[in-house]
């Protein structure tokens, strides 16, 4: 099947995705290897085709046989007959196991070779075929996961690339190319707006000491740009200047840094006076061009700066030079159009804008500028078409502005979108009233969009556009054009690329104001304020957070690898050495990992399920661990079942729900007295439902809720800290985008801090303002949805699948959240009052898992308080590690709750992805209609003062206050198998998502084994599995550390010491800790991060918290407790 010579076989056998970025097959020195690879690709493709055709013939024969046997009965084949065919085909494959395995391996190898040849579409196709045939075991092949991740990345399928790379790091954080994975993840997450997690991955990429396909300076450049897009301009400026001071910086990277600094000085007011900033901007951009004369991006930005200071001639020269250097830049042509428009050359401006939208059909600034140009010339139908195309892209970008701290920086965008929408409505009215065109009508000043789209470019422009025209031919007809039917909105064609996240747009100061003033018609005079808004916000609305286009940053990123092909590695084919790489260290890592992956990983994983079982005692476990290899570190410590794939969000239940089932009544119970509150049936009732309301609790237990009132809190601790979230006031079942144009999921809030006394003053003044408004306006009869004693959910008749569209005003509010009440010295009366609650609902209880953690986890095993005004929102979420939660409304106002059963959280996760919001890191408020369309039921109810809401494990929920009120909340962990299982699953999924689990589940599990007797068999097996997996990992890690020659020192552990997390990747570190010997402030590291710092572990100290004998004793002593009665299982 594969090449026949020994040398060729050795080359192909060793090549896989890990050589991507190290082996440059386009290098003339590697032509012989490239020839072997191409020949192998052809051979594999022929063999795969033969295998498929052979099996199709056999399958056809089997199928025909079944149909022939059935035809004598003159009845059509039923499902059973087809099932028989399927079984026979499967049986054939089982008989041909060897051929099938070779077929799958050939597909994977084909993907690797296509990847190394730079044929990414072909590589992805081969990888996906491999995945289709190996879906149950693909996750054991780490080279495959890395390869398909690279293919997705190269094809700009960032969503899937991120998933692949996250799985790879979860399965094997010590993977050879993990540093490259971290960098690519950091880049993609930055691109997607997940800045916090992007920074985490970029910093992890910096830790690695062994060679890679990128340099440390390039990672630091990405970090600096990350600060820039977050509007942390001073930090970005400092980081860029630090890079320039490095002697080893390359010319290309130096040019990129100068370009970024230049554009920052042009845009960012906090960097100095305008005149001084413009001078610095021009200087830096010129230095960028000097360092990289071929940079069309720097020339374009230089033109923008010249246009900003009215040096029109210099701007034209810079733009033209940019067009010569670039392979077609829509931003540059848009800016050229702006300059022509300023110079009162509308025909040339039209052609420039047409060039821009042909290169990028979604370029909203070019469409808007073109609309303003047409409107200034009185061609309203063409202007209307352009504005509609602009709004399409504007609305798409509005959904991207979702980070919590963006609320203050998007006012211009809000004004622009509103002005554009108002302008479209105005033109609709004018066009609806316009008479039909006649022969005597005045000749148009400009040709229509359809005509302009196909006109040849003028000679002046054509000389600058020839190279672009050759590489980017005209993209067919223009977007759909509205005729007399105004309601038919034009839809712009979508780009093939999906990466245009806030590109740099071409505008300059007051770019089109003079032209508009000179040519304005009666229509413009009718609504001049809107035109002004459009001109001001669009033509010079620089997206300061994105100071360089994403395509440019991507090009810069691609340079990282390409530039280092020749610097770091040089692969060549020699008959004696087979495959030699000049960089010995890289070669050693690849060879070591190749041997380990090829021979040990599959063997050890397949044997694991047989070798490690919870029935083993600690001595048997130790003996089994000694059989594992100690030349390589443990790959991954999972606390799930042995030999399980990476965790993924579950599919929603398949059954179709009726209208009533989508709006289920909320389970509720009304307590009459204390006896009802302490009855076992109450706990059983709560554990049976996703969410439950316990009404009348405060009255039944005579709780003094006044202890948690704002007045009492101010009297007790007026200077206590309060976290404040500034939010937009909206009705509970609606969530509008920043322009108030459409419903979205992104729930934006701005974080700040204040004190209880100051927030109390705000809360009171808000109430007084509301009373004043009511008195001024009179009571308008606005009804607030409320609950009744007979109905525990809002009546279904009041909730329809499609509610009447009602836009709320953009009034801002402040929500006081996360007020810590854990200090018994400050809040003793309040905490004592909560002891009146039944045991299952108390903050501290022997039956509460979280009471066994052994240290404080703020907001989980302590009380937190929330201070609210009407409209305060707690966005959608599941509780940390899926623990249950208790929430009591102090009053005096109500709260409205929305909840979804945990079985449907995968569906909500998918909807978050669809709306470009991170399920774990993002802030989202679901659109109810979206949930109903996806067959997801929603509980909806009112929580009155004194009501307790029980949120069961994994329930997704979001809350909005109806009136002025305070709430108290904490988490509890009932000792049930369901609670523990969901907590462990989320713990592992958090690791995959690089999200810190604030509940240390490993530490908690060992404490549970010490402290409690478990009679529930399922719960026992889950905890025992966690103990088994972690003890195995501890033993394996210690054996590996000893093999490396590192001494393990006993450190011990204090009684109430907090659990340890890795200072870099934030995973829980249990028992075996690694710290740098020379650090002044010791930071705990996991083994993987310690190996990044020092592959040989030199300079690393290994500490042990528990004696091995103690852990073995706990493990052996934890057995299933037999009782005569029946244990409750949930």
């Amino acid at each position: 099947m594969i090449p026949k010579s020994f040398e060729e076989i050795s080359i192909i056998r060793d090549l896989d995705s890990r050589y991507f970025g190290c082996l440059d097959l386009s290098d003339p020195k590697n032509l012989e290897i490239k020839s072997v690879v191409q020949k192998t690709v052809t051979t594999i493709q022929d063999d795969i085709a033969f295998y498929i055709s052979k099996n199709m013939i056999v399958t056809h024969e089997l199928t025909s046989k079944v149909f022939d046997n059935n035809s004598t009965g003159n009845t059509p084949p039923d499902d059973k007959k087809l099932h028989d065919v399927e079984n026979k085909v499967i049986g054939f494959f089982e008989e041909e196991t060897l051929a099938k395995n070779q077929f799958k391996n050939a597909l994977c190898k084909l993907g690797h070779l296509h990847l190394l040849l730079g044929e990414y579409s072909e590589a992805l196709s081969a990888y996906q075929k491999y995945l289709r045939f190996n879906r149950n075991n693909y996750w054991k092949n780490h080279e495959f996961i890395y390869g398909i991740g690279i293919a997705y990345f190269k094809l700009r399928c960032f969503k899937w690339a991120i998933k692949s790379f996250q799985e790879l790091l979860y399965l094997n954080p010590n993977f050879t190319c993990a540093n490259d994975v971290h960098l690519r993840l950091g880049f993609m997450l930055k691109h997607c707006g997940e800045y916090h997690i992007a920074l985490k991955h970029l910093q992890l990429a910096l830790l690695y000491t062994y060679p890679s396909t990128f340099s440390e300076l390039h990672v630091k450049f990405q970090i600096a740009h990350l600060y820039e897009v977050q509007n942390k301009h001073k930090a970005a400026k400092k980081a860029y200047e630090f890079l320039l001071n490095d002697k080893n910086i390359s010319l290309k990277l130096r040019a990129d840094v100068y370009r970024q600094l230049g554009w920052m000085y042009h845009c960012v007011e906090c960097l100095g006076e305008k005149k001084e900033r413009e001078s610095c901007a021009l200087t830096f951009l010129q230095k960028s061009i000097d360092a990289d004369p071929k940079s069309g991006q720097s020339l374009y930005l230089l033109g923008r700066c010249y246009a900003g200071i009215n040096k029109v001639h210099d701007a034209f020269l810079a733009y033209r030079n940019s067009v010569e250097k670039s392979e077609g830049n829509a931003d540059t042509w848009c800016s050229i159009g702006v300059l022509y428009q300023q110079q009162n050359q509308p025909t040339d401006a039209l052609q420039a804008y047409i060039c821009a939208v042909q290169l990028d059909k979604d370029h909203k600034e070019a469409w808007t500028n073109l609309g303003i140009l047409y409107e200034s010339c009185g061609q309203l139908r063409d202007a209307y078409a352009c504005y509609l195309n602009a709004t399409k892209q504007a609305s798409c970008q509005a959904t991207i502005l979702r980070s919590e701290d963006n609320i203050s920086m998007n006012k211009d965008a809000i004004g622009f979108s509103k002005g554009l929408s108002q302008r479209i409505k105005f033109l609709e009215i004018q066009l609806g009233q316009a008479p039909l065109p006649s022969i005597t009508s005045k000749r148009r000043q400009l040709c229509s969009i359809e005509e302009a789209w196909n006109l040849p470019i003028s000679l002046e422009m054509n000389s600058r556009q020839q190279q672009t025209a050759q590489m980017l031919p005209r993209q067919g007809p223009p977007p759909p054009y509205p005729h007399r039917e105004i309601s038919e909105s034009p839809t712009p064609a979508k780009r093939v690329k999906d990466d245009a996240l806030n590109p740099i747009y071409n505008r300059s100061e007051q770019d089109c104001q003079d032209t508009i003033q000179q040519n304005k018609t009666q229509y413009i005079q009718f609504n001049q304020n809107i035109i002004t808004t459009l001109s001001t916000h669009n033509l010079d609305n620089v997206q300061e957070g994105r100071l360089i286009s994403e395509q440019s940053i991507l090009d810069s990123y691609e340079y990282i690898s390409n530039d280092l092909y020749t610097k770091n590695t040089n692969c060549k084919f020699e008959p004696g050495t087979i495959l030699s790489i000049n960089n010995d260290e890289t070669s050693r890592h690849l060879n070591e990992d190749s041997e380990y992956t090829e021979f040990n990983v599959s063997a050890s994983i397949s044997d694991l399920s047989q070798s490690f079982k919870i029935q083993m005692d600690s001595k048997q476990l130790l003996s089994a661990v000694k059989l594992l290899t100690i030349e390589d570190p443990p790959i991954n410590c999972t606390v799930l079942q042995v030999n399980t794939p990476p965790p993924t969000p579950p599919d929603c239940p398949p059954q179709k729900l009726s209208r009533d089932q989508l709006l289920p009544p909320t389970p509720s119970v009304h307590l009459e007295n204390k006896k009802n509150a302490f009855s076992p049936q109450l706990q059983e009732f709560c554990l049976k439902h996703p969410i439950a309301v316990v009404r009348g609790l405060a009255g039944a237990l005579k709780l003094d809720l006044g202890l948690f009132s704002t007045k009492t809190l101010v009297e007790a601790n007026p200077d206590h800290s309060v976290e404040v979230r500034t939010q937009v006031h909206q009705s509970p079942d609606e969530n509008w985008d920043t322009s108030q144009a459409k419903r979205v999921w992104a729930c934006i809030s701005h974080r700040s801090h204040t004190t209880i006394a100051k927030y109390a003053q705000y809360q009171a003044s808000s109430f007084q303002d509301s009373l004043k408004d009511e008195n001024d306006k009179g009571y308008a009869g606005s009804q607030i949805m409320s609950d009744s004693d007979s109905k525990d959910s809002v009546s279904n008749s009041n909730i329809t699948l499609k509610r009447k569209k009602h836009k709320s005003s953009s009034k801002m509010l402040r929500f006081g959240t996360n007020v810590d009440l854990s200090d018994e010295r400050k809040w003793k009366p309040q905490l004592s009052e909560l002891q009146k609650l039944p045991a299952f609902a108390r903050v501290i209880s022997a039956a509460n898992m979280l009471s066994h953690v052994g240290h404080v986890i703020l907001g989980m095993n302590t009380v937190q308080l929330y201070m609210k005004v009407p409209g305060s929102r707690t966005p959608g979420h599941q509780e940390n590690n899926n623990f249950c939660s208790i929430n009591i409304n102090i009053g005096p106002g109500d709260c409205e709750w929305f909840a979804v059963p945990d079985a449907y959280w995968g569906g909500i996760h998918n909807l978050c992805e669809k709306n470009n919001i991170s399920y774990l890191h993002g802030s989202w408020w679901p659109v109810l209609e979206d949930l109903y369309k996806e067959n997801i039921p929603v509980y909806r109810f009112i929580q009155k003062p004194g009501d307790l809401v029980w949120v069961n494990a994994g329930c997704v929920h979001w809350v909005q206050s109806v009136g002025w009120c305070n709430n108290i909340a904490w988490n509890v962990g009932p000792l049930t198998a369901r609670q523990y299982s969901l907590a462990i699953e989320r713990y592992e999924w958090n690791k995959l998502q690089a999200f810190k689990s604030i509940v240390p589940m490993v530490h908690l599990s060992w404490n549970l084994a010490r402290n409690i007797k478990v009679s529930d068999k399922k719960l026992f097996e889950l905890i025992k599995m966690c103990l088994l997996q972690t003890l195995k990992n501890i033993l394996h890690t210690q054996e590996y550390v000893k093999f490396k020659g590192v001494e393990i020192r006993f450190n011990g552990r204090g009684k109430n010491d907090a659990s340890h997390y890795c200072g870099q990747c934030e995973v829980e570190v249990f028992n075996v800790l690694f710290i740098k010997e020379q650090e002044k402030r010791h930071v705990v590291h996991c083994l993987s991060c310690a190996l990044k710092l020092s592959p040989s572990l030199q300079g690393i100290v290994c500490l042990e918290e528990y004696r091995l004998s103690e852990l073995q004793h706990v493990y052996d002593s934890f057995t299933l407790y037999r009782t005569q009665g029946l244990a409750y299982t949930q």
Side-chain angles (χ1 to χ4, degrees), residues 156 158 191-192 330-331 359-365 393-394 396-398 400 495-505 543 546 548-552 554 916:
R156 311 306 303 277
F158 287 168
H191 171 96
C192 297
D331 297 339
L359 291 169
D360 181 357
K361 290 186 180 180
D362 291 336
H363 201 295
K364 72 180 179 68
E365 274 67 27
Q393 183 64 6
C396 291
Q397 289 184 2
I400 294 168
R495 282 175 296 185
V496 175
K497 57 183 180 179
D498 61 354
D499 62 306
L501 246 165
N502 292 336
I504 290 181
Y505 300 124
Q543 300 273 343
R546 303 272 177 181
I548 176 171
S549 72
E550 288 294 335
Q551 182 60 50
S552 175
L554 182 65
N916 299 315

Side-chain angles (χ1 to χ4, degrees), residues 147-167:
I148 197 171
I150 292 291
Y152 280 133
F153 177 84
K154 287 293 185 177
L155 295 171
R156 311 306 303 277
C157 303
F158 287 168
K159 171 186 171 182
W160 296 103
I162 289 171
K163 287 184 176 180
S164 298
F165 287 149
Q166 285 176 336
E167 281 192 354

Side-chain angles (χ1 to χ4, degrees), residues 592 595 600 628-633 1036 1040 1043-1044:
E592 286 181 358
E595 292 173 7
N600 293 327
L628 298 176
T629 177
I630 58 172
E631 296 181 359
D632 299 282
H1036 195 182
Y1040 174 76
F1043 172 75
K1044 286 286 188 179

Side-chain angles (χ1 to χ4, degrees), residues 82-93:
L82 293 175
H83 185 65
D84 290 339
V85 173
E86 201 173 281
N87 285 337
K88 291 186 178 183
V89 173
I90 292 172
F92 167 77
F93 276 113

Side-chain angles (χ1 to χ4, degrees), residues 209-248:
T209 55
Y210 48 83
S212 64
T213 57
F214 55 86
S215 71
E216 182 180 331
L217 293 178
H218 287 100
V219 183
K220 291 180 177 179
F221 173 73
Q222 291 291 332
I223 292 175
H225 183 253
L226 178 62
Y227 291 142
E228 187 181 353
V229 297
Q230 287 181 279
N231 288 334
K232 297 179 179 179
H233 297 117
K234 291 184 178 179
K237 175 176 174 288
K238 184 178 179 180
Y240 284 138
E241 290 172 345
F242 177 83
L243 286 170
L244 290 174
N245 293 329
D246 195 294
K247 297 179 181 178
N248 298 320

